[in-house]
Amino acid sequence: LFDFKIILGKNGVPVAENFRLEQSTISDTIQAGQVRVKTLYLSVDPYMRCRMNEDTGSDYLQPWQLSEVADGGGVGVVEESKHDNLAEGDFVTSFTWPWQTVAILDGNLLQKLVPQLVNGRLSYFLGAAGITGLTALLGVREKGHVAVGANQTMVVSGAAGACGSLAGQIGRLEGCSRVVGIAGTDEKCSILVQEMGFDAAINYKKGNVAEQLRELCPGGVDVYFDNVGGDISDTVISQMNQNSHIILCGQISQYNKDVPYPPPLPPDIEKIQKERNITRERFLVLNYMDKHEASVLQLCQWIQEGKLKVRETLVEGLANIGAAFQSMMSGGNIGKQIVSVSK
């Protein structure tokens, strides 16, 4: 088997050389309760940048250990089983899947998948029908305070990424009357509007973002799905309405810096937030485990009905996972960044 290991962790911009591919061997036998799995798909996500530091800044995230196999969201197929509820041929997933082509795992830590729920697109269980989709849906529902008929305007930063591209669509499905995305290329902006139903999209690398926001959100901003933090978020917050809501999903512009999470707002922006009674509460999807099952079924229904459009950026081969991670962190993906390990 091949596995992928972390070899450097510190503040700064991650590069593919921070990872190493090795050839290893695993036991020929499995113990009671274990399964041998072949890895099909792996996920690379922004939160993983935190795991490259000894202190992740999060009590629910463990740091990757130097020269140990990295892990994250994964999907695979059972090749051999000594677990009562899992059989050869079953498709399974885990949030702590080792970056290996083949692995022996504790069957109790795996979730059995139903491919029909996502029209056979197993990789969707790492994105739109997985933790990413849950983050978007529960973020909107729990922190967005979206109400049908309330004539709310939602702005999404990092809007062409895995979570943002879903969040904007979900905002519309939940009742927002106007959805505006912020992304980093004209291609991404075009996809948001033409494929995903956003009303408009701003390329933050072109022109004046504040002016474009004022033009596209004449009634101000009621809900802000924040994936990026930094200057973009400061610009959006300055145009938010009284009693509006920030869904604090991610702060990718800050992840390579040694700052607390969530990063504090600049004094002038913090003053606006307080004066306008804008909520900005840390959101953690793991705090809503009781709502996961029903939420995944909702996401799958929308996917099957064509109401939720899904984009993926697929990279082939475990050897390229470091480069895929680096690309995702710098905005190289549209939708969910997926690594295909085995056919």
Side-chain angles (χ1 to χ4, degrees):
L1 72 101
F2 288 94
D3 55 40
F4 224 79
K5 294 184 175 178
I6 182 84
I7 60 172
L8 182 66
K10 62 181 181 180
N11 289 321
V13 178
V15 293
E17 290 73 29
N18 293 152
F19 301 91
R20 181 174 68 228
L21 183 69
E22 292 185 356
Q23 190 161 7
S24 307
T25 57
I26 58 174
S27 173
D28 291 332
T29 59
I30 60 175
Q31 306 300 314
Q34 291 183 328
V35 295
R36 185 198 310 275
V37 293
K38 181 172 74 170
T39 304
L40 300 178
Y41 298 102
L42 294 170
S43 171
V44 289
D45 304 278
Y47 81 86
M48 291 174 171
R49 177 61 188 90
C50 305
R51 301 189 67 191
M52 296 180 78
N53 292 343
E54 289 183 3
D55 178 10
T56 65
S58 301
D59 50 11
Y60 64 94
L61 280 182
Q62 296 299 312
W64 282 329
Q65 299 300 310
L66 296 183
S67 294
E68 295 294 330
V69 178
D71 67 346
V75 166
V77 61
V78 175
E79 293 189 319
E80 182 184 357
S81 175
K82 288 189 178 178
H83 189 278
D84 290 343
N85 297 325
L86 296 172
E88 182 182 343
D90 283 347
F91 295 104
V92 290
T93 187
S94 168
F95 192 61
T96 55
W97 195 287
W99 287 6
Q100 299 177 180
T101 53
V102 179
I104 294 174
L105 303 176
D106 180 349
N108 290 330
L109 303 180
L110 298 173
Q111 179 184 353
K112 192 188 296 189
L113 299 174
V114 181
Q116 294 87 341
L117 288 175
V118 289
N119 302 323
R121 299 290 295 271
L122 286 167
S123 57
Y124 283 14
F125 286 114
L126 297 176
I131 200 78
T132 310
L134 284 170
T135 301
L137 177 56
L138 291 170
V140 170
R141 286 184 171 175
E142 300 296 329
K143 299 295 185 183
H145 302 275
V146 174
V148 176
N151 197 31
Q152 292 163 299
T153 294
M154 173 188 275
V155 170
V156 183
S157 58
C163 200
S165 60
L166 300 172
Q169 296 179 75
I170 290 168
R172 167 85 76 212
L173 289 166
E174 291 287 287
C176 284
S177 59
R178 186 163 182 77
V179 180
V180 176
I182 302 174
T185 69
D186 289 342
E187 179 192 11
K188 290 179 178 180
C189 290
S190 175
I191 287 169
L192 290 174
V193 174
Q194 295 179 14
E195 284 187 25
M196 298 183 172
F198 284 61
D199 292 284
I202 296 168
N203 181 347
Y204 71 86
K205 296 180 182 178
K206 285 187 173 180
N208 185 303
V209 174
E211 286 180 5
Q212 293 177 78
L213 262 182
R214 274 190 290 272
E215 181 182 331
L216 295 172
C217 307
V221 178
D222 302 295
V223 184
Y224 172 40
F225 200 100
D226 184 6
N227 286 304
V228 303
D231 293 342
I232 295 292
S233 289
D234 296 345
T235 301
V236 176
I237 294 169
S238 68
Q239 296 189 33
M240 293 187 74
N241 292 326
Q242 195 74 25
N243 302 318
S244 54
H245 304 283
I246 299 169
I247 302 165
L248 192 57
C249 179
Q251 304 279 279
I252 194 169
S253 72
Q254 308 298 302
Y255 285 168
N256 294 328
K257 303 174 184 178
D258 187 11
V259 295
Y261 185 88
L265 296 170
D268 56 329
I269 303 300
E270 186 178 21
K271 184 168 182 280
I272 289 172
Q273 182 210 342
K274 289 179 177 176
E275 287 177 349
R276 298 181 192 170
N277 192 34
I278 303 169
T279 62
R280 183 181 185 256
E281 303 161 337
R282 186 170 184 173
F283 170 72
L284 184 59
V285 72
L286 299 177
N287 288 342
Y288 301 93
M289 295 294 290
D290 60 318
K291 299 184 178 181
H292 281 202
E293 186 175 350
S295 299
V296 167
L297 290 175
Q298 174 67 84
L299 291 162
C300 291
Q301 182 182 335
W302 281 336
I303 291 168
Q304 289 174 340
E305 293 172 348
K307 292 179 179 177
L308 196 60
K309 303 289 194 277
V310 182
R311 270 273 189 158
E312 292 181 325
T313 298
L314 195 69
V315 169
E316 300 276 353
L318 182 62
N320 295 316
I321 197 167
F325 176 75
Q326 180 185 6
S327 173
M328 177 272 305
M329 286 295 293
S330 59
N333 58 300
I334 296 175
K336 180 72 177 179
Q337 179 70 64
I338 294 287
V339 178
S340 174
V341 178
S342 304
K343 291 295 186 183

